[in-house]
Amino acid sequence: MAHVIQPLDQPSNYKDSQTRMDRKRQNETLVNSTTLYIGNLSFFTTEEQIYELFSKCANAADGGGIKRIIMGLDRNTRTPCGFCFVEYYTHAEALASMRYVSGTKLDERIIRCDLDLGYREGRQFGRGKSGGQVRDEHRQDYDPGRGGWGAQAQRLEVERRRAVEERYSDAQDGPGAVAGGGEEWKEIETSEGKLKRGRSPEDEGDNDRMGRRTRIDEVTEADRM
Amino acid sequence: MSYNRQSRGGRRHYRDDEDDRRRDIVESPQERLKFAIIKLGEADPYQEISTVESRIRELAPPDIYNLSESFHIGVTEQPYKIPFYAALLRLLHDNPSKDGDSFGADKNSLGKQILEEFWKGFQAYVDKLMWRETRLCIHFFAHLTSAQLISPESFAALLRSFTAVLDEFGVSHGRAKRAALCAAEGLMIAGAVLTLHEPAFPGEVITSIQTYTETTGSGKWIVQPVVRLHSPAVAVENADELLDTALIALKALESSSFEGPYPRPYSEYHPPDSSLFTLFSLPSVLVPPEVIELETLSSEAEESEIKRQEWPEYFLRLFSDDVTPDPNTPAGYAVRSDLLVMIDIFEVNRKEAARLLLEYPKWVAPGTFKPKPGAPPPEMEHLVNHDWQLESTLLETMLGASLVLPQSSQAQIYYDSLITEVCKLSPSTVGPAVGKSIRKLYNSLTDGLDVEIERRFSEWFAIHMSNFNFQWVWKEWIPDLDLAIQHPKRAFMRTAVEHEIRLSYYDRVAKSLPEAMHALEAHILPKQAPGPDFMYDDTSKPHHDAAQSILNLFRGRAKAEDVIVHLDTLRNTLESEISDTENVNSLVRIISTQSLLHVGSRSFSHLLNAIERYLPLLRTLASGGVTASTAAGNLEAKADILSAAALFWKYNPQMVAIVFDKLMQYQIVDPTDVVSWTFLHVSEVDESEADLRAPLNLSAFEWNLLKAALDKAIGRVNTARRKLAILRKEDDDNRARAKASGGNMDVDGETKPDEPVMENPALAVALKAFSSLTREQKTALSRTLEGFVSCLAPSPTSLHPNPKAREILTEHSWHNRANWGKEEWNAWETWGWYRHFCRAYSPYLRNYATTFTAVSFARFEGQSDPASDLLQKIWDVSTGQE
């Protein structure tokens, strides 16, 4: 259905200017992308607010859901600087957000979504000279949702800001700083299983113990049914 | 506008999106013509028909394929223009005579060639069961029949092939509904011509549809938008069922000689000269069976995709007949059905959808809608004067579609965002209609509005307010604070405020509420901003030191193994501190889980980091003992983890749901554990609110936990099914290849037995996963059913029986609901969620109908109990056993 009107879920001209992918690979990646770049956020908006809005496009019964949210931070101050990444489990959910959420308000600002190539280490930080987003350095006008001394007149905003400023003070960088959010379901092998596999780095669990657990579950389930 | 030349005469590309090609490519004359056809009538439909006709004739030689495709796009993507496309095609049937005066028509006309080509596209829609496109083409053919281009015999035969679907054995409601609408709407438009040709035909179609709708009674009962526990009758005052409205409108048209509300621009043209012209005779079609219905006959039945169960569709009415069209009238039905199909077609771009909806009045007879304020008075008197309000009509249609049970056809957020866009385009006219709709829905909460509708209503309300500065006149609802605390109106206010806070923040929403709603006893605004509640935070609390010792390890980023070792020591210390009745393992689990959540309480990401870093610890906790000493306690252990999480976030229901979701995602707990926990332990969570929760009952919060768990279980099966399908296909391909290459080697004609193909290990793993996940799904569903049964028909010995679960089932009690207290409304809501569970998960429950019936209902056999009777009736209807 694209003859009479233009669908809203097409990738825009937004791109990660520092990606090393060639154009063709970028396009292929976007066609299956499960990640969105979200822009024009208020500096005060929390991950939970973002979760709430974007969960409206989540489709758990199709194997989807919100995998993780990565808040964009000022490189120097470690405070939110107005963007984030939302990663779903399925591409369809990312498209739904483009159609139904992009261009609506969150925290009283019109937010913008774009299909993204996927989070990579380091992308959680702003790239402006001052540590924030480049976009903000070009801005002339005062924007209360994005900080500036004018907002201090408002008590509520001051309190919100304090909470936000402290929140990410522990933010790390480097490998493993950002959580994965949980992978797809995997069979947990029983201790006596012949299919015992080698440990993968993300699988730190004690297979033996888990195995026993699963087996017992199956027994009780069999009794139940 | 793309036109793929390579596809000419080959594969069709009606639905292919090729628009990513840049627009600056120079368009060919054919492309420009196509664009002109698609844009037909945007300024003045009546005037433009002949202009476009000339443009088509001017471009020689005609490209029939391109022209037909243009008509297809026009008809299937802009249904409101169908009468005008019919008129255009009518003009193209004329052959310009030598002296330049167009007159007469013959079989070689451009129009006829286009129609022949157009037919092939229609045939393809039918073959692929593209119902919407099929139905809209039937509208087009109906107009062409009225315009005397298509023979009435052949059009009647076409409609008969759709009514024939209604007689199929075991036809699904979805299929029957779509086929019936095709036949009904075709007849509505072309009824006059068809009656002329065969007077008994309309009656035949009506009887056929009516016979079908008479079988849908029990289905209607389960999806009607009000909950009526005392009556098996379908009693809906403020809503209309889609097929019923079609039938009533059709009957009204029949009794008025099919004086329909449709624009017929072609009626002004002279009739084609019958001596030169033969009517186009539509070839006969057969509506093929649904693909999915065939699939279930295959050997791997349980691996096939579960088909969404379709039910009768009720659309709520929010306004009176003089404000918005009554869909039980021909004109009202036509408007409603146009708007509904537009909402579906333009789903890909809600902003354009909003614009086109607001422009809709220009496509219907003047006088259908009230003119815009300030519009010049009409030049001539209108033929119709309904004077409906456009904005109210749009709101009623959009909300109606979004509140269809058990689920709307599009995602709910689409309708929410669409309403926002319509408001943004015309705030001053749409705003009041939104306000009236909210009030109307709110007031119907008293009369048993379905609990799922209430839930969607509160979500929409919060989303809408979030887009419009949280401006709502809350103070008009202050008098309702005197109602029982669980009265649907108060429950609605509470949920709406909770959702608003989630999208915004506590102080912002508090500011928008009147003082009376700040009071604690109002139970509207929570007593504090939703934050964590770490049980061991206070130094005076018991086990504060134990918790600190764990926290210190977490904060120092100790290894999970070291924390586990520490917990062993800690258990010994604690054992001496607690009484005999307390369970030390359980205590250690709760302290550890709460401490971990405390480290992860700053944000969703912090939570994920904490969980991921200490996954081995969580797994050990979930496995039962502090160490791996015993595995038997694992169900209890997982319940402890869930309880600790629910307690930690007791002031923030959103976080409870998030933590549960991630605990399932990381496979610390299974969906079944969440279901069990919800029925068994939720009421223990918050003592201060125990008042609201105990005895056992379900509100929207608990329902959301259940739904999330069930959907997780179902989603995993779906993912596993897709993987399996891919692997099976790969496997089949490999076998085929092996066979083929084996055949080539086979030179001496000796027939070797099929070489055993290497068993694909990935396939074996996928099969195993699919079967364990299917088992888990079944258990989660069974547990839910069992939970509801024990809530609603509690045995005399059960722990927290709701005393009112049976009492409220009588008609007398319902009429006395003004005096209902907390417990009555609690029980009522729980019944509502049970009903929704059964109909929403019906496609899955059906698969296990026999087992589940035996497990959950056999115990009631021979008893006469209104509660168990109703439980079973709802169950039977939902699973298609009645």
Side-chain angles (χ1 to χ4, degrees), chain A residues 2 6 47 61 99-100 102 108 209 224, chain B residues 19 347 349-350 417 508 605 628 718 783:
Chain A
Q6 194 74 25
E47 292 179 29
R99 291 207 288 265
Y100 314 141
S102 185
E108 297 171 77
R209 207 169 297 130
R224 258 196 320 260
Chain B
D19 279 8
E347 173 270 329
N349 187 329
R350 61 176 204 277
S417 298
R508 174 72 183 89
S605 293
N718 285 333
R783 215 33 105 63

mmCIF file with all atom_site columns, all heavy atoms in Angstrom, chain A residues 2 6 47 61 99-100 102 108 209 224, chain B residues 19 347 349-350 417 508 605 628 718 783:
data_model
loop_
_atom_site.group_PDB
_atom_site.id
_atom_site.type_symbol
_atom_site.label_atom_id
_atom_site.label_alt_id
_atom_site.label_comp_id
_atom_site.label_asym_id
_atom_site.label_entity_id
_atom_site.label_seq_id
_atom_site.pdbx_PDB_ins_code
_atom_site.Cartn_x
_atom_site.Cartn_y
_atom_site.Cartn_z
_atom_site.occupancy
_atom_site.B_iso_or_equiv
_atom_site.pdbx_formal_charge
_atom_site.auth_seq_id
_atom_site.auth_comp_id
_atom_site.auth_asym_id
_atom_site.auth_atom_id
_atom_site.pdbx_PDB_model_num
ATOM 1   N N   . ALA A 1 2   ? 1.379  1.478   -1.105 1.00 0.00 ? 2   ALA A N   1
ATOM 2   C CA  . ALA A 1 2   ? 2.286  2.629   -1.043 1.00 0.00 ? 2   ALA A CA  1
ATOM 3   C C   . ALA A 1 2   ? 2.113  3.509   -2.254 1.00 0.00 ? 2   ALA A C   1
ATOM 4   O O   . ALA A 1 2   ? 3.001  4.266   -2.602 1.00 0.00 ? 2   ALA A O   1
ATOM 5   C CB  . ALA A 1 2   ? 3.715  2.139   -0.947 1.00 0.00 ? 2   ALA A CB  1
ATOM 6   N N   . GLN A 1 6   ? 2.714  7.768   1.303  1.00 0.00 ? 6   GLN A N   1
ATOM 7   C CA  . GLN A 1 6   ? 4.053  7.267   1.625  1.00 0.00 ? 6   GLN A CA  1
ATOM 8   C C   . GLN A 1 6   ? 4.037  6.649   3.025  1.00 0.00 ? 6   GLN A C   1
ATOM 9   O O   . GLN A 1 6   ? 3.650  7.322   3.973  1.00 0.00 ? 6   GLN A O   1
ATOM 10  C CB  . GLN A 1 6   ? 4.997  8.474   1.579  1.00 0.00 ? 6   GLN A CB  1
ATOM 11  C CG  . GLN A 1 6   ? 6.451  8.140   1.567  1.00 0.00 ? 6   GLN A CG  1
ATOM 12  C CD  . GLN A 1 6   ? 6.889  7.599   0.209  1.00 0.00 ? 6   GLN A CD  1
ATOM 13  O OE1 . GLN A 1 6   ? 6.278  7.894   -0.804 1.00 0.00 ? 6   GLN A OE1 1
ATOM 14  N NE2 . GLN A 1 6   ? 7.933  6.803   0.223  1.00 0.00 ? 6   GLN A NE2 1
ATOM 15  N N   . GLU A 1 47  ? 14.275 6.273   31.370 1.00 0.00 ? 47  GLU A N   1
ATOM 16  C CA  . GLU A 1 47  ? 14.134 5.048   30.589 1.00 0.00 ? 47  GLU A CA  1
ATOM 17  C C   . GLU A 1 47  ? 12.759 4.419   30.781 1.00 0.00 ? 47  GLU A C   1
ATOM 18  O O   . GLU A 1 47  ? 12.216 3.801   29.870 1.00 0.00 ? 47  GLU A O   1
ATOM 19  C CB  . GLU A 1 47  ? 15.212 4.033   30.993 1.00 0.00 ? 47  GLU A CB  1
ATOM 20  C CG  . GLU A 1 47  ? 16.607 4.454   30.591 1.00 0.00 ? 47  GLU A CG  1
ATOM 21  C CD  . GLU A 1 47  ? 17.652 3.439   31.031 1.00 0.00 ? 47  GLU A CD  1
ATOM 22  O OE1 . GLU A 1 47  ? 17.329 2.243   31.126 1.00 0.00 ? 47  GLU A OE1 1
ATOM 23  O OE2 . GLU A 1 47  ? 18.794 3.844   31.294 1.00 0.00 ? 47  GLU A OE2 1
ATOM 24  N N   . ALA A 1 61  ? 3.466  -11.811 22.075 1.00 0.00 ? 61  ALA A N   1
ATOM 25  C CA  . ALA A 1 61  ? 2.919  -13.060 21.559 1.00 0.00 ? 61  ALA A CA  1
ATOM 26  C C   . ALA A 1 61  ? 3.552  -13.456 20.227 1.00 0.00 ? 61  ALA A C   1
ATOM 27  O O   . ALA A 1 61  ? 3.381  -14.576 19.761 1.00 0.00 ? 61  ALA A O   1
ATOM 28  C CB  . ALA A 1 61  ? 1.409  -12.944 21.416 1.00 0.00 ? 61  ALA A CB  1
ATOM 29  N N   . ARG A 1 99  ? 5.768  3.888   12.673 1.00 0.00 ? 99  ARG A N   1
ATOM 30  C CA  . ARG A 1 99  ? 4.459  4.297   12.169 1.00 0.00 ? 99  ARG A CA  1
ATOM 31  C C   . ARG A 1 99  ? 3.614  4.987   13.235 1.00 0.00 ? 99  ARG A C   1
ATOM 32  O O   . ARG A 1 99  ? 2.885  5.924   12.933 1.00 0.00 ? 99  ARG A O   1
ATOM 33  C CB  . ARG A 1 99  ? 3.703  3.069   11.651 1.00 0.00 ? 99  ARG A CB  1
ATOM 34  C CG  . ARG A 1 99  ? 4.322  2.499   10.382 1.00 0.00 ? 99  ARG A CG  1
ATOM 35  C CD  . ARG A 1 99  ? 3.284  1.781   9.556  1.00 0.00 ? 99  ARG A CD  1
ATOM 36  N NE  . ARG A 1 99  ? 2.879  0.523   10.151 1.00 0.00 ? 99  ARG A NE  1
ATOM 37  C CZ  . ARG A 1 99  ? 3.410  -0.647  9.828  1.00 0.00 ? 99  ARG A CZ  1
ATOM 38  N NH1 . ARG A 1 99  ? 4.340  -0.699  8.913  1.00 0.00 ? 99  ARG A NH1 1
ATOM 39  N NH2 . ARG A 1 99  ? 2.992  -1.740  10.399 1.00 0.00 ? 99  ARG A NH2 1
ATOM 40  N N   . TYR A 1 100 ? 3.657  4.464   14.460 1.00 0.00 ? 100 TYR A N   1
ATOM 41  C CA  . TYR A 1 100 ? 2.680  4.925   15.450 1.00 0.00 ? 100 TYR A CA  1
ATOM 42  C C   . TYR A 1 100 ? 3.249  5.829   16.538 1.00 0.00 ? 100 TYR A C   1
ATOM 43  O O   . TYR A 1 100 ? 2.501  6.508   17.215 1.00 0.00 ? 100 TYR A O   1
ATOM 44  C CB  . TYR A 1 100 ? 2.008  3.727   16.139 1.00 0.00 ? 100 TYR A CB  1
ATOM 45  C CG  . TYR A 1 100 ? 1.540  2.628   15.229 1.00 0.00 ? 100 TYR A CG  1
ATOM 46  C CD1 . TYR A 1 100 ? 1.672  1.291   15.586 1.00 0.00 ? 100 TYR A CD1 1
ATOM 47  C CD2 . TYR A 1 100 ? 0.943  2.921   13.995 1.00 0.00 ? 100 TYR A CD2 1
ATOM 48  C CE1 . TYR A 1 100 ? 1.234  0.271   14.748 1.00 0.00 ? 100 TYR A CE1 1
ATOM 49  C CE2 . TYR A 1 100 ? 0.515  1.910   13.159 1.00 0.00 ? 100 TYR A CE2 1
ATOM 50  C CZ  . TYR A 1 100 ? 0.665  0.583   13.537 1.00 0.00 ? 100 TYR A CZ  1
ATOM 51  O OH  . TYR A 1 100 ? 0.238  -0.418  12.718 1.00 0.00 ? 100 TYR A OH  1
ATOM 52  N N   . SER A 1 102 ? 6.705  7.548   16.378 1.00 0.00 ? 102 SER A N   1
ATOM 53  C CA  . SER A 1 102 ? 7.531  8.645   15.889 1.00 0.00 ? 102 SER A CA  1
ATOM 54  C C   . SER A 1 102 ? 6.648  9.844   15.571 1.00 0.00 ? 102 SER A C   1
ATOM 55  O O   . SER A 1 102 ? 5.618  9.695   14.915 1.00 0.00 ? 102 SER A O   1
ATOM 56  C CB  . SER A 1 102 ? 8.275  8.203   14.621 1.00 0.00 ? 102 SER A CB  1
ATOM 57  O OG  . SER A 1 102 ? 9.148  9.227   14.217 1.00 0.00 ? 102 SER A OG  1
ATOM 58  N N   . GLU A 1 108 ? 6.012  15.605  26.867 1.00 0.00 ? 108 GLU A N   1
ATOM 59  C CA  . GLU A 1 108 ? 5.624  16.892  26.279 1.00 0.00 ? 108 GLU A CA  1
ATOM 60  C C   . GLU A 1 108 ? 6.574  17.405  25.203 1.00 0.00 ? 108 GLU A C   1
ATOM 61  O O   . GLU A 1 108 ? 6.652  18.608  24.935 1.00 0.00 ? 108 GLU A O   1
ATOM 62  C CB  . GLU A 1 108 ? 5.344  17.908  27.387 1.00 0.00 ? 108 GLU A CB  1
ATOM 63  C CG  . GLU A 1 108 ? 4.152  17.382  28.194 1.00 0.00 ? 108 GLU A CG  1
ATOM 64  C CD  . GLU A 1 108 ? 3.845  18.118  29.461 1.00 0.00 ? 108 GLU A CD  1
ATOM 65  O OE1 . GLU A 1 108 ? 3.259  19.189  29.334 1.00 0.00 ? 108 GLU A OE1 1
ATOM 66  O OE2 . GLU A 1 108 ? 4.179  17.614  30.550 1.00 0.00 ? 108 GLU A OE2 1
ATOM 67  N N   . ARG A 1 209 ? 23.094 -27.677 37.937 1.00 0.00 ? 209 ARG A N   1
ATOM 68  C CA  . ARG A 1 209 ? 22.019 -27.327 38.845 1.00 0.00 ? 209 ARG A CA  1
ATOM 69  C C   . ARG A 1 209 ? 20.746 -26.999 38.068 1.00 0.00 ? 209 ARG A C   1
ATOM 70  O O   . ARG A 1 209 ? 19.668 -27.430 38.393 1.00 0.00 ? 209 ARG A O   1
ATOM 71  C CB  . ARG A 1 209 ? 22.451 -26.125 39.675 1.00 0.00 ? 209 ARG A CB  1
ATOM 72  C CG  . ARG A 1 209 ? 21.789 -26.072 41.001 1.00 0.00 ? 209 ARG A CG  1
ATOM 73  C CD  . ARG A 1 209 ? 22.458 -25.036 41.857 1.00 0.00 ? 209 ARG A CD  1
ATOM 74  N NE  . ARG A 1 209 ? 23.834 -25.333 42.152 1.00 0.00 ? 209 ARG A NE  1
ATOM 75  C CZ  . ARG A 1 209 ? 24.823 -24.467 41.980 1.00 0.00 ? 209 ARG A CZ  1
ATOM 76  N NH1 . ARG A 1 209 ? 24.594 -23.291 41.475 1.00 0.00 ? 209 ARG A NH1 1
ATOM 77  N NH2 . ARG A 1 209 ? 26.046 -24.794 42.276 1.00 0.00 ? 209 ARG A NH2 1
ATOM 78  N N   . ARG A 1 224 ? 0.819  -32.904 36.735 1.00 0.00 ? 224 ARG A N   1
ATOM 79  C CA  . ARG A 1 224 ? -0.279 -31.950 36.695 1.00 0.00 ? 224 ARG A CA  1
ATOM 80  C C   . ARG A 1 224 ? -1.228 -32.219 35.542 1.00 0.00 ? 224 ARG A C   1
ATOM 81  O O   . ARG A 1 224 ? -2.418 -32.072 35.662 1.00 0.00 ? 224 ARG A O   1
ATOM 82  C CB  . ARG A 1 224 ? 0.292  -30.554 36.528 1.00 0.00 ? 224 ARG A CB  1
ATOM 83  C CG  . ARG A 1 224 ? 0.328  -29.759 37.791 1.00 0.00 ? 224 ARG A CG  1
ATOM 84  C CD  . ARG A 1 224 ? 0.539  -28.293 37.529 1.00 0.00 ? 224 ARG A CD  1
ATOM 85  N NE  . ARG A 1 224 ? 1.485  -27.997 36.495 1.00 0.00 ? 224 ARG A NE  1
ATOM 86  C CZ  . ARG A 1 224 ? 2.743  -27.634 36.716 1.00 0.00 ? 224 ARG A CZ  1
ATOM 87  N NH1 . ARG A 1 224 ? 3.203  -27.585 37.935 1.00 0.00 ? 224 ARG A NH1 1
ATOM 88  N NH2 . ARG A 1 224 ? 3.529  -27.333 35.715 1.00 0.00 ? 224 ARG A NH2 1
ATOM 89  N N   . ASP B 2 19  ? 8.690  2.050   -3.978 1.00 0.00 ? 19  ASP B N   1
ATOM 90  C CA  . ASP B 2 19  ? 8.801  3.504   -3.905 1.00 0.00 ? 19  ASP B CA  1
ATOM 91  C C   . ASP B 2 19  ? 10.107 4.001   -3.315 1.00 0.00 ? 19  ASP B C   1
ATOM 92  O O   . ASP B 2 19  ? 10.308 5.193   -3.197 1.00 0.00 ? 19  ASP B O   1
ATOM 93  C CB  . ASP B 2 19  ? 7.625  4.062   -3.109 1.00 0.00 ? 19  ASP B CB  1
ATOM 94  C CG  . ASP B 2 19  ? 6.412  4.163   -3.994 1.00 0.00 ? 19  ASP B CG  1
ATOM 95  O OD1 . ASP B 2 19  ? 6.464  3.670   -5.129 1.00 0.00 ? 19  ASP B OD1 1
ATOM 96  O OD2 . ASP B 2 19  ? 5.442  4.745   -3.570 1.00 0.00 ? 19  ASP B OD2 1
ATOM 97  N N   . GLU B 2 347 ? -3.237 2.752   7.348  1.00 0.00 ? 347 GLU B N   1
ATOM 98  C CA  . GLU B 2 347 ? -2.527 2.432   8.584  1.00 0.00 ? 347 GLU B CA  1
ATOM 99  C C   . GLU B 2 347 ? -1.033 2.737   8.464  1.00 0.00 ? 347 GLU B C   1
ATOM 100 O O   . GLU B 2 347 ? -0.373 3.064   9.455  1.00 0.00 ? 347 GLU B O   1
ATOM 101 C CB  . GLU B 2 347 ? -2.773 0.949   8.910  1.00 0.00 ? 347 GLU B CB  1
ATOM 102 C CG  . GLU B 2 347 ? -2.012 0.365   10.050 1.00 0.00 ? 347 GLU B CG  1
ATOM 103 C CD  . GLU B 2 347 ? -0.687 -0.230  9.631  1.00 0.00 ? 347 GLU B CD  1
ATOM 104 O OE1 . GLU B 2 347 ? -0.585 -0.723  8.483  1.00 0.00 ? 347 GLU B OE1 1
ATOM 105 O OE2 . GLU B 2 347 ? 0.253  -0.185  10.423 1.00 0.00 ? 347 GLU B OE2 1
ATOM 106 N N   . ASN B 2 349 ? 0.398  5.226   7.283  1.00 0.00 ? 349 ASN B N   1
ATOM 107 C CA  . ASN B 2 349 ? 0.750  6.633   7.493  1.00 0.00 ? 349 ASN B CA  1
ATOM 108 C C   . ASN B 2 349 ? -0.404 7.341   8.188  1.00 0.00 ? 349 ASN B C   1
ATOM 109 O O   . ASN B 2 349 ? -1.336 7.826   7.553  1.00 0.00 ? 349 ASN B O   1
ATOM 110 C CB  . ASN B 2 349 ? 1.076  7.304   6.155  1.00 0.00 ? 349 ASN B CB  1
ATOM 111 C CG  . ASN B 2 349 ? 1.599  8.712   6.349  1.00 0.00 ? 349 ASN B CG  1
ATOM 112 O OD1 . ASN B 2 349 ? 1.229  9.407   7.296  1.00 0.00 ? 349 ASN B OD1 1
ATOM 113 N ND2 . ASN B 2 349 ? 2.468  9.140   5.449  1.00 0.00 ? 349 ASN B ND2 1
ATOM 114 N N   . ARG B 2 350 ? -0.335 7.378   9.508  1.00 0.00 ? 350 ARG B N   1
ATOM 115 C CA  . ARG B 2 350 ? -1.460 7.904   10.291 1.00 0.00 ? 350 ARG B CA  1
ATOM 116 C C   . ARG B 2 350 ? -1.700 9.377   10.020 1.00 0.00 ? 350 ARG B C   1
ATOM 117 O O   . ARG B 2 350 ? -2.819 9.859   10.143 1.00 0.00 ? 350 ARG B O   1
ATOM 118 C CB  . ARG B 2 350 ? -1.217 7.668   11.773 1.00 0.00 ? 350 ARG B CB  1
ATOM 119 C CG  . ARG B 2 350 ? 0.026  8.345   12.282 1.00 0.00 ? 350 ARG B CG  1
ATOM 120 C CD  . ARG B 2 350 ? 0.246  8.200   13.767 1.00 0.00 ? 350 ARG B CD  1
ATOM 121 N NE  . ARG B 2 350 ? 1.063  9.280   14.256 1.00 0.00 ? 350 ARG B NE  1
ATOM 122 C CZ  . ARG B 2 350 ? 2.396  9.298   14.188 1.00 0.00 ? 350 ARG B CZ  1
ATOM 123 N NH1 . ARG B 2 350 ? 3.050  8.284   13.656 1.00 0.00 ? 350 ARG B NH1 1
ATOM 124 N NH2 . ARG B 2 350 ? 3.068  10.332  14.644 1.00 0.00 ? 350 ARG B NH2 1
ATOM 125 N N   . SER B 2 417 ? -2.816 6.942   18.164 1.00 0.00 ? 417 SER B N   1
ATOM 126 C CA  . SER B 2 417 ? -2.023 7.954   17.463 1.00 0.00 ? 417 SER B CA  1
ATOM 127 C C   . SER B 2 417 ? -2.814 8.611   16.345 1.00 0.00 ? 417 SER B C   1
ATOM 128 O O   . SER B 2 417 ? -2.644 9.791   16.059 1.00 0.00 ? 417 SER B O   1
ATOM 129 C CB  . SER B 2 417 ? -0.761 7.332   16.870 1.00 0.00 ? 417 SER B CB  1
ATOM 130 O OG  . SER B 2 417 ? 0.048  6.810   17.884 1.00 0.00 ? 417 SER B OG  1
ATOM 131 N N   . ARG B 2 508 ? 4.070  16.205  37.844 1.00 0.00 ? 508 ARG B N   1
ATOM 132 C CA  . ARG B 2 508 ? 3.402  16.793  36.688 1.00 0.00 ? 508 ARG B CA  1
ATOM 133 C C   . ARG B 2 508 ? 1.918  16.398  36.662 1.00 0.00 ? 508 ARG B C   1
ATOM 134 O O   . ARG B 2 508 ? 1.049  17.229  36.421 1.00 0.00 ? 508 ARG B O   1
ATOM 135 C CB  . ARG B 2 508 ? 4.082  16.304  35.403 1.00 0.00 ? 508 ARG B CB  1
ATOM 136 C CG  . ARG B 2 508 ? 3.405  16.708  34.119 1.00 0.00 ? 508 ARG B CG  1
ATOM 137 C CD  . ARG B 2 508 ? 3.597  18.184  33.868 1.00 0.00 ? 508 ARG B CD  1
ATOM 138 N NE  . ARG B 2 508 ? 2.915  18.662  32.675 1.00 0.00 ? 508 ARG B NE  1
ATOM 139 C CZ  . ARG B 2 508 ? 1.660  19.115  32.666 1.00 0.00 ? 508 ARG B CZ  1
ATOM 140 N NH1 . ARG B 2 508 ? 0.942  19.125  33.784 1.00 0.00 ? 508 ARG B NH1 1
ATOM 141 N NH2 . ARG B 2 508 ? 1.113  19.565  31.543 1.00 0.00 ? 508 ARG B NH2 1
ATOM 142 N N   . SER B 2 605 ? 18.108 0.151   32.619 1.00 0.00 ? 605 SER B N   1
ATOM 143 C CA  . SER B 2 605 ? 19.427 -0.354  32.236 1.00 0.00 ? 605 SER B CA  1
ATOM 144 C C   . SER B 2 605 ? 20.212 -0.853  33.447 1.00 0.00 ? 605 SER B C   1
ATOM 145 O O   . SER B 2 605 ? 20.916 -1.861  33.365 1.00 0.00 ? 605 SER B O   1
ATOM 146 C CB  . SER B 2 605 ? 20.257 0.739   31.568 1.00 0.00 ? 605 SER B CB  1
ATOM 147 O OG  . SER B 2 605 ? 19.685 1.083   30.358 1.00 0.00 ? 605 SER B OG  1
ATOM 148 N N   . ALA B 2 628 ? 23.378 -25.555 46.061 1.00 0.00 ? 628 ALA B N   1
ATOM 149 C CA  . ALA B 2 628 ? 22.623 -26.536 45.302 1.00 0.00 ? 628 ALA B CA  1
ATOM 150 C C   . ALA B 2 628 ? 22.155 -27.690 46.175 1.00 0.00 ? 628 ALA B C   1
ATOM 151 O O   . ALA B 2 628 ? 21.950 -28.795 45.693 1.00 0.00 ? 628 ALA B O   1
ATOM 152 C CB  . ALA B 2 628 ? 23.481 -27.052 44.164 1.00 0.00 ? 628 ALA B CB  1
ATOM 153 N N   . ASN B 2 718 ? 5.967  -19.488 19.046 1.00 0.00 ? 718 ASN B N   1
ATOM 154 C CA  . ASN B 2 718 ? 5.933  -18.945 17.682 1.00 0.00 ? 718 ASN B CA  1
ATOM 155 C C   . ASN B 2 718 ? 7.340  -18.802 17.109 1.00 0.00 ? 718 ASN B C   1
ATOM 156 O O   . ASN B 2 718 ? 7.571  -19.106 15.938 1.00 0.00 ? 718 ASN B O   1
ATOM 157 C CB  . ASN B 2 718 ? 5.212  -17.599 17.651 1.00 0.00 ? 718 ASN B CB  1
ATOM 158 C CG  . ASN B 2 718 ? 3.703  -17.769 17.768 1.00 0.00 ? 718 ASN B CG  1
ATOM 159 O OD1 . ASN B 2 718 ? 3.172  -18.811 17.373 1.00 0.00 ? 718 ASN B OD1 1
ATOM 160 N ND2 . ASN B 2 718 ? 3.020  -16.778 18.322 1.00 0.00 ? 718 ASN B ND2 1
ATOM 161 N N   . ARG B 2 783 ? -2.720 -23.514 33.957 1.00 0.00 ? 783 ARG B N   1
ATOM 162 C CA  . ARG B 2 783 ? -2.622 -22.893 35.267 1.00 0.00 ? 783 ARG B CA  1
ATOM 163 C C   . ARG B 2 783 ? -3.529 -21.674 35.379 1.00 0.00 ? 783 ARG B C   1
ATOM 164 O O   . ARG B 2 783 ? -4.155 -21.426 36.413 1.00 0.00 ? 783 ARG B O   1
ATOM 165 C CB  . ARG B 2 783 ? -1.186 -22.479 35.446 1.00 0.00 ? 783 ARG B CB  1
ATOM 166 C CG  . ARG B 2 783 ? -0.524 -22.540 36.784 1.00 0.00 ? 783 ARG B CG  1
ATOM 167 C CD  . ARG B 2 783 ? -0.930 -23.600 37.716 1.00 0.00 ? 783 ARG B CD  1
ATOM 168 N NE  . ARG B 2 783 ? 0.033  -24.664 37.837 1.00 0.00 ? 783 ARG B NE  1
ATOM 169 C CZ  . ARG B 2 783 ? 1.257  -24.514 38.301 1.00 0.00 ? 783 ARG B CZ  1
ATOM 170 N NH1 . ARG B 2 783 ? 1.672  -23.350 38.714 1.00 0.00 ? 783 ARG B NH1 1
ATOM 171 N NH2 . ARG B 2 783 ? 2.068  -25.527 38.369 1.00 0.00 ? 783 ARG B NH2 1
#
